[in-house]
Amino acid sequence: MARFFNKRQRRILYILSNGKCQKCSACLSEDFHADHVRPFSKGGRTLIINGQALCSECNTKKSNKY
């Protein structure tokens, strides 16, 4: 099972989020974080349905929590 979202998945997550962080609504840059809603370390799969686009600050705060 892949650990990281691939380019296609990242592009889809970006489009689904309208280019905004799904936690704080900040505009995302090209190096946004494709994050697992249910953390990979806790059994979350690398699928679009389990993904979200986050800014680096929100992803860092989230760590491996739901």
Side-chain angles (χ1 to χ4, degrees):
M1 179 185 315
R3 166 73 173 94
F4 297 103
F5 291 95
N6 64 35
K7 286 182 182 182
R8 180 178 174 276
Q9 290 169 316
R10 286 179 54 81
R11 189 168 41 250
I12 292 168
L13 290 174
Y14 183 87
I15 291 167
L16 290 173
S17 73
N18 292 314
K20 306 245 183 213
C21 174
Q22 293 182 274
K23 292 283 184 192
C24 73
S25 299
C27 290
L28 295 172
S29 61
E30 288 184 22
D31 63 341
F32 75 93
H33 291 223
D35 178 60
H36 293 83
V37 175
R38 179 176 184 192
F40 186 83
S41 64
K42 295 188 176 182
R45 299 185 65 195
T46 307
L47 302 171
I48 297 298
I49 197 164
N50 188 43
Q52 61 185 345
L54 298 179
C55 67
S56 60
E57 186 175 334
C58 286
N59 191 40
T60 302
K61 287 179 188 175
K62 179 182 176 259
S63 184
N64 70 340
K65 301 174 189 111
Y66 283 87

